[in-house]
Amino acid sequence: MSVIESTKQFAPAGTWVADPVHSNVSFEIGYSGVNTFRGSFTDFQATLAGGETPSLEGSAKVASVDVKDEQLNGHLQTPDFFDAERHNEISFKATELRRSEDGTVTGSGELTIKGVTAPVQLTGKISQPATDPFGRERIGLALEAEIDRTKYGVSWNAPNQSGGDYLANNVKLIAELAFVKAEA
């Protein structure tokens, strides 16, 4: 059962759909102990329902992962990472969201990767509604969560010759969503 709380209505009533052109779903992971490696998903969807019983859920197609290297994109499809053949989608559903007066968001949800569902904690910010040049109502929602990828069976790694492993276990997930109010 979804519990959405707020000191202010989380979002205006109606159904809000993520605009994929102006939205981004990405991840960051420590690489080789020297930098942060980034990737994103180009095929995703998210829906926010506002009003009396708000909800938020979304998904990303594993095949759409993009890390700017075709060979690595292919490796991420294998069982070493996302196992796209058996688990073609990553999904999220909010279980609790709180919005403060200043638009700060905290909450929790359930994230499913490789068939494993585990709770995640969210932080972020939601904007006030605005009207775009085409007369459509929009809301911006930016959320972050940090997960241990090994809890989802994404555990491939290799030893770093300087010590430790090449990949960190903690991964930051980032969703920067521009929602457009769906036509009634």
Side-chain angles (χ1 to χ4, degrees), residues 53-71:
T53 55
S55 66
L56 172 65
E57 52 187 76
S59 62
K61 298 290 184 191
V62 169
S64 76
V65 69
D66 181 20
V67 294
K68 299 180 184 176
D69 180 280
E70 285 305 312
Q71 185 175 354

Side-chain angles (χ1 to χ4, degrees), residues 9-81:
Q9 185 180 28
F10 193 80
T15 300
W16 300 81
V17 179
D19 168 3
V21 173
H22 298 100
S23 299
N24 183 54
V25 173
S26 60
F27 58 91
E28 298 178 350
I29 183 170
Y31 176 74
S32 193
V34 298
N35 73 321
T36 301
F37 182 79
R38 293 173 175 84
S40 62
F41 294 91
T42 59
D43 186 358
F44 59 88
Q45 65 82 27
T47 304
L48 173 66
E52 293 295 317
T53 55
S55 66
L56 172 65
E57 52 187 76
S59 62
K61 298 290 184 191
V62 169
S64 76
V65 69
D66 181 20
V67 294
K68 299 180 184 176
D69 180 280
E70 285 305 312
Q71 185 175 354
L72 184 50
N73 284 342
H75 189 199
L76 292 172
Q77 304 299 313
T78 71
D80 283 346
F81 289 96

Side-chain angles (χ1 to χ4, degrees), residues 66-115:
D66 181 20
V67 294
K68 299 180 184 176
D69 180 280
E70 285 305 312
Q71 185 175 354
L72 184 50
N73 284 342
H75 189 199
L76 292 172
Q77 304 299 313
T78 71
D80 283 346
F81 289 96
F82 296 118
D83 196 0
E85 188 173 314
R86 293 189 317 150
H87 306 284
N88 65 351
E89 194 170 82
I90 295 170
S91 63
F92 171 80
K93 183 172 181 154
T95 54
E96 180 180 28
L97 291 172
R98 291 175 302 282
R99 175 187 181 155
S100 300
E101 290 295 327
D102 66 356
T104 302
V105 173
T106 58
S108 57
E110 294 181 339
L111 178 67
T112 303
I113 301 174
K114 286 182 79 169

